[in-house]
């Protein structure tokens, strides 16, 4: 039996309250309003430690591994680099999930949407005719929920020659092979409730013969930046926080699958008994970050997309309306919106019901689960709003500071919400 009702009443009570702290028995207990200045607000202090430069530097670092496609050396090198970065920002208790990924060989179907021409130099990337142009009106193409208005074609580029940048082509030459995979996480241990945690995730693998900047370097860098800030020596949280960089998202969330399969039954178990240590704190919520930066509006009638960010750009917080935890996930989404309304510097946040197609779906029937994105997953990304999605255009040079700043605002949203939910303090206050 799936829950589909009873959203509205709780929405009205949750959505209008500004601050939340953990209660004695779990998440999402509203806190009384605090009568104090901004200088005494630990959440404001933490948000001020996020900067555009730091976010961009972390994201740029990820581009050295090309598209970080799973099953390649560049993917393994990226996992190693991420682990070293987490340790460098004092999230030193890194661990790995190890699993096997052995898919049957692919059908070598037609290569789609690459723009490549055999026998000549590849065409330069062109944002005005990005992925094949107009398909039609009103949802007659693939992907997601109902789409109104025009939609553009989407698809995964598999053609090396479609990438015009020789350096990036060379980074991405190796094809995946079956076998062992790993993914890394680290944990901020809570002071009073170390046996409970929020999981903050993003997927570090990408594909499309590019630098996987937006999908999903933008979410990976966000999670790594939050790991830096929450693990600063003067920061404490009552509740634990896990920072997880999933692998194999692009093949069907196989890395998140492996995590849930291996860790679900260990929740809340003290090990060794009497040690006060909980290798898998009980899950209070899962917050995924997947594609944070591109919000340039709908395709035009001819299938082209604007080079400029749209004036309505926002952070989309989504829960899954047909999941077992739909009502609890919606409440969590509105806690995040309330935090965004208070702490985001440049962009608002909006809540929607169509999370789908990212690692948090593996958690959505177990624990309150949401995703943060640049666009609504079904109507926008699925409708071709993002010409960089899985294409040679997902490279550093495509994005402007407007785009990077939208990613930064998503980081502000999650940082402030999690600060409140975990009872964070800075310097003992
Ligand atoms: Zn993604």
């Amino acid at each position: 039996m799936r829950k589909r009702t009873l959203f509205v009443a709780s929405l009205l009570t949750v959505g209008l309250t500004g601050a939340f702290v953990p209660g004695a028995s779990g998440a999402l207990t509203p806190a009384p309003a605090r009568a104090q200045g901004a200088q005494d607000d630990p959440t404001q202090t933490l948000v001020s430690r996020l900067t555009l430069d730091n976010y961009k530097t972390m994201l740029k670092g990820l581009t050295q591994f090309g598209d970080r496609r799973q099953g390649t050396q560049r993917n393994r090198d990226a996992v190693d680099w991420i682990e070293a970065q987490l340790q460098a920002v004092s999230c030193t208790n890194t661990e790995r999930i190890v699993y096997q990924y052995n898919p049957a060989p692919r059908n070598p179907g037609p290569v789609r949407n690459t723009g490549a021409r055999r026998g000549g130099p590849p065409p330069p990337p062109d944002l005005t005719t990005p992925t094949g142009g107009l398909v039609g009106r009103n949802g007659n193409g693939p992907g997601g929920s109902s789409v109104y208005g025009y939609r553009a074609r989407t698809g995964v580029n598999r053609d090396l020659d479609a990438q015009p940048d020789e350096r990036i082509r060379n980074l991405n030459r190796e094809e995946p092979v079956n076998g062992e995979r790993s993914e890394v996480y680290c944990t901020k241990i809570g002071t009073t409730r170390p046996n409970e945690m929020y999981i903050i995730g993003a997927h570090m693998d990408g594909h499309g013969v590019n630098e996987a900047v937006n999908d999903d370097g933008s979410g990976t860098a966000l999670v790594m930046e939050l790991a830096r800030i929450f693990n600063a020596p003067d920061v404490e949280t009552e509740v634990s926080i896990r920072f997880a960089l999933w692998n194999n998202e692009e093949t069907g969330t196989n890395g998140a699958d492996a995590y849930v399969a291996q860790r679900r039954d260990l929740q809340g178990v003290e090990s060794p008994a009497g040690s006060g240590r909980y290798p898998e704190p009980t899950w209070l919520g899962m917050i995924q970050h997947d594609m944070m930066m591109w919000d340039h509006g709908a395709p035009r009638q001819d299938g082209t997309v604007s080079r400029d960010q749209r004036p309505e750009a926002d952070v989309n917080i989504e829960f899954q309306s047909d999941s077992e935890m739909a009502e609890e996930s919606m409440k969590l989404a509105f806690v995040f919106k309330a935090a965004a309304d208070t702490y985001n510097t440049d962009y608002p946040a909006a809540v929607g019901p169509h999370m789908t197609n990212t690692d948090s779906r593996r958690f959505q029937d177990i624990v309150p689960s949401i995703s943060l994105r640049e666009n609504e997953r079904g109507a926008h990304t699925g409708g071709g709003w993002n010409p960089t999605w899985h294409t040679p255009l997902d490279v550093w040079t495509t994005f402007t500071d407007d785009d990077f700043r939208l990613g930064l605002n998503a980081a502000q949203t999650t940082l402030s919400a999690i600060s409140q939910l975990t009872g964070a303090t800075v310097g003992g206050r």
Side-chain angles (χ1 to χ4, degrees):
M1 185 68 188
R2 299 195 157 199
K3 297 179 182 174
R4 292 173 183 274
T5 55
L6 301 176
F7 292 165
V8 174
S10 40
L11 183 157
L12 290 173
T13 53
V14 173
L16 299 176
T17 311
F20 293 79
V21 297
S25 60
L28 305 182
T29 304
R34 295 175 112 162
Q36 58 187 12
Q39 71 275 13
D40 295 325
D41 178 3
T43 298
Q44 187 64 60
T45 302
L46 295 177
V47 170
S48 72
R49 295 179 179 184
L50 275 171
T51 69
L52 188 64
D53 279 351
N54 282 338
Y55 178 63
K56 288 174 66 176
T57 299
M58 193 67 86
L59 180 42
K60 180 76 167 147
L62 287 159
T63 66
Q64 67 187 292
F65 307 103
D67 66 9
R68 303 184 297 280
R69 191 172 176 190
Q70 61 80 34
T72 64
Q73 188 62 45
R74 62 186 183 276
N75 175 273
R76 291 186 291 276
D77 289 347
V79 176
D80 291 344
W81 183 85
I82 289 167
E83 181 165 23
Q85 295 297 313
L86 292 172
Q87 294 184 353
V89 297
S90 303
C91 207
T92 53
N93 56 0
T94 55
E95 296 183 71
R96 298 264 185 128
I97 297 286
V98 178
Y99 57 98
Q100 298 289 322
Y101 183 63
N102 296 309
R106 295 175 58 88
N107 276 334
V111 176
R112 291 188 297 165
N113 302 330
T114 65
R117 301 172 191 125
R118 296 293 172 196
D126 181 358
L127 275 175
T128 59
T129 54
T131 52
L134 176 67
V135 173
R137 269 190 86 89
N138 291 344
N140 61 350
S145 61
S146 299
V147 175
Y148 299 92
Y150 298 105
R151 62 184 301 151
R153 199 181 296 277
T154 60
V156 180
N157 172 56
R158 300 282 184 199
D159 184 351
L160 196 63
D161 290 333
Q163 175 52 257
D165 186 311
E166 183 180 11
R167 180 186 63 84
I168 298 172
R169 270 204 308 280
N170 286 335
L171 282 173
N172 291 314
R173 284 193 185 280
E174 185 192 353
E175 289 290 312
V177 293
N178 288 2
E180 187 177 287
R181 307 281 188 270
S182 78
E183 62 196 4
V184 64
Y185 62 83
C186 67
T187 310
K188 169 76 173 179
I189 309 278
T191 52
T192 61
R193 291 157 65 193
N195 56 324
E196 297 177 330
M197 71 174 172
Y198 288 90
I199 302 172
I200 300 176
H203 70 87
M204 50 71 60
D205 67 307
H207 59 182
V209 193
N210 50 42
E211 296 176 312
V213 170
N214 191 48
D215 187 9
D216 184 25
S218 63
T220 300
L222 184 161
V223 172
M224 294 169 73
E225 275 292 279
L226 265 55
R228 173 178 72 79
I229 288 167
F230 278 114
N231 285 282
D234 61 346
V235 176
E236 287 190 342
T237 60
E238 296 174 9
V239 178
S240 298
I241 309 169
R242 178 155 292 170
F243 305 91
L245 290 316
W246 316 115
N247 205 341
N248 276 88
E249 191 273 349
E250 298 291 6
T251 52
T253 70
N254 310 93
D257 246 4
Y259 180 93
V260 171
Q262 295 182 25
R263 309 296 297 180
R264 178 179 184 173
D265 292 342
L266 304 176
Q267 287 181 76
V269 176
E270 188 182 35
S271 178
S275 66
R277 294 167 62 176
Y278 299 86
E280 190 67 23
T282 300
W283 306 344
L284 299 181
M286 197 273 142
I287 300 96
Q288 172 75 356
H289 304 83
D290 193 352
M291 301 170 66
M292 314 315 298
M293 301 198 302
W294 185 274
D295 199 352
H296 290 208
R300 306 179 184 103
Q301 186 171 2
D302 65 359
T304 63
V305 175
S306 174
R307 294 169 184 273
D308 299 321
Q309 190 175 72
R310 65 176 179 145
E312 305 87 349
D314 59 4
V315 177
N316 287 93
I317 305 165
E318 295 185 281
F319 64 98
Q320 187 60 27
S321 59
D322 63 356
S323 66
E324 295 292 337
M325 299 295 289
E327 186 174 358
E328 297 86 347
S329 298
M330 183 206 67
K331 289 181 182 175
L332 182 63
F334 276 99
V335 169
F336 273 61
K337 175 168 168 49
D341 289 346
T342 305
Y343 293 102
N344 282 14
T345 53
D346 307 279
Y347 298 93
V351 173
H354 196 59
M355 182 174 68
T356 194
N357 289 79
T358 193
D359 296 295
S360 45
R361 74 177 187 179
R362 293 299 175 201
F363 295 83
Q364 69 185 23
D365 295 325
I366 306 169
V367 64
S369 301
I370 59 174
S371 72
L372 273 66
R373 284 193 237 254
E374 65 210 0
N375 282 163
E376 295 168 17
R377 174 58 183 83
H380 297 172
T381 307
W385 284 37
N386 186 344
T388 79
W389 186 36
H390 301 160
T391 74
L393 286 168
D394 194 359
V395 294
W396 183 260
T397 50
T398 295
F399 300 93
T400 69
D401 272 0
D402 285 346
D403 302 316
F404 291 118
R405 196 173 296 282
L406 183 61
L408 181 75
N409 275 244
Q412 293 169 340
T413 300
T414 296
L415 177 63
S416 56
I418 291 295
S419 169
Q420 294 175 330
L421 289 167
T422 62
T425 58
V426 182
R429 52 200 279 178

